[in-house]
Amino acid sequence: DFERFDPSKIGTGEGAQAYGHGLYFAGNEGVAQSYRDVLTPKLKIDNQPVQPTTTAQNLVVAHGGDVDAAIKEFSGRVEGWMPGTRDRIKATDTLAEMESLRGRVSFGPGGGKMYEVNIAADPEHFLHWDKPLSEQSPYVRNAIEKAGLKPTEPDLGSFGGVPVRGAPRWADTPEAAQALRDAGIPGIRYLDQGSRGAGQGTSNYVVFDAATIDILRKYGLAGLMAGGGAAAAGSQQQSQ
């Protein structure tokens, strides 16, 4: 629960930064909710929230925190495995870890909040990840050219991984984000997973400057926001 987005936390969520270095937002509320649900820890061990990483922890989560049910299910699964084999030894370690969790586990709704925000930037000023330079908005093309960030070849397809002068790559690096931000580009937009197959639909947004983001509302349940991805005059409202 926070009042401002903090760039120092970049990389502590999913951590991939696959579409550029910045703060990620979704135009589709369902996309935002799916990330909230996946990234919010539901498992507590010794009353401390834990993001499940081991087979034992994931099995306990799959059984709603019931350690006995997780052990029973896993024991039945490995019953026929040959003793002394690598898989059986690993299974023994998994069972021992689950046994160690007895009385130490709590499980329930992860909570977490959704944030409806206003991004003080024109959506057409965002670099479109899925389009080549020739299909970017006139603003983006001019900004890239004026900043000397024109790709080494004029039209190499989408911007993912295209080498540019002044920035190592478009993806993953703070240097690339800073170079684009200095050029007047507020961020990157790309089609979300549900839209990529059709080549159109709702987008996710990577925002370079946290100062352009204002939190309008916090909420926890799907369906409470109508039109969370709608464009406002000269700005864009999105959800994370």
Side-chain angles (χ1 to χ4, degrees):
D1 186 356
F2 52 86
E3 303 305 321
R4 300 294 302 176
F5 284 86
D6 182 357
S8 71
K9 302 298 183 184
I10 291 174
T12 62
E14 185 189 44
Q17 295 292 298
Y19 293 90
H21 185 87
L23 297 160
Y24 280 62
F25 297 85
N28 183 324
E29 182 183 9
V31 173
Q33 183 182 350
S34 68
Y35 277 95
R36 188 277 310 268
D37 292 347
V38 167
L39 295 174
T40 303
K42 299 177 178 64
L43 177 69
K44 290 185 177 181
I45 299 176
D46 299 330
N47 210 34
Q48 296 298 314
V50 173
Q51 194 70 265
T53 56
T54 67
T55 299
Q57 292 171 358
N58 280 302
L59 281 167
V60 170
V61 169
H63 285 275
D66 187 333
V67 174
D68 288 331
I71 290 174
K72 182 178 180 181
E73 188 267 328
F74 190 68
S75 297
R77 187 193 306 177
V78 304
E79 199 170 53
W81 295 2
M82 289 290 292
T85 62
R86 182 179 178 183
D87 286 343
R88 188 61 181 263
I89 293 169
K90 288 174 66 177
T92 302
D93 292 341
T94 297
L95 286 168
E97 183 182 351
M98 282 192 282
E99 289 282 0
S100 76
L101 294 175
R102 289 184 188 277
R104 301 171 56 209
V105 168
S106 57
F107 183 84
K113 287 182 168 60
M114 304 268 282
Y115 290 79
E116 182 182 1
V117 308
N118 183 75
I119 300 170
D122 188 325
E124 291 302 308
H125 293 179
F126 281 68
L127 185 144
H128 202 306
W129 185 272
D130 304 298
K131 292 183 178 181
L133 180 62
S134 62
E135 296 178 21
Q136 298 292 326
S137 69
Y139 176 90
V140 170
R141 292 201 305 270
N142 290 336
I144 288 175
E145 187 171 353
K146 287 179 181 178
L149 295 174
K150 190 173 182 180
T152 52
E153 294 183 36
D155 205 10
L156 295 179
S158 66
F159 273 79
V162 173
V164 294
R165 294 194 299 272
R169 318 191 271 155
W170 292 114
D172 300 325
T173 65
E175 294 83 3
Q178 187 61 52
L180 292 171
R181 179 179 169 182
D182 291 345
I185 295 174
I188 294 169
R189 63 185 296 184
Y190 62 96
L191 293 172
D192 60 37
Q193 188 170 4
S195 303
R196 282 174 217 152
Q200 61 183 351
T202 50
S203 294
N204 296 332
Y205 293 80
V206 185
V207 181
F208 298 146
D209 185 359
T212 64
I213 303 164
D214 290 317
I215 296 172
L216 303 180
R217 184 163 68 99
K218 305 175 188 179
Y219 61 106
L221 301 175
L224 293 184
M225 178 178 69
S235 63
Q236 187 81 6
Q237 294 183 16
Q238 306 298 338
S239 308
Q240 176 156 315

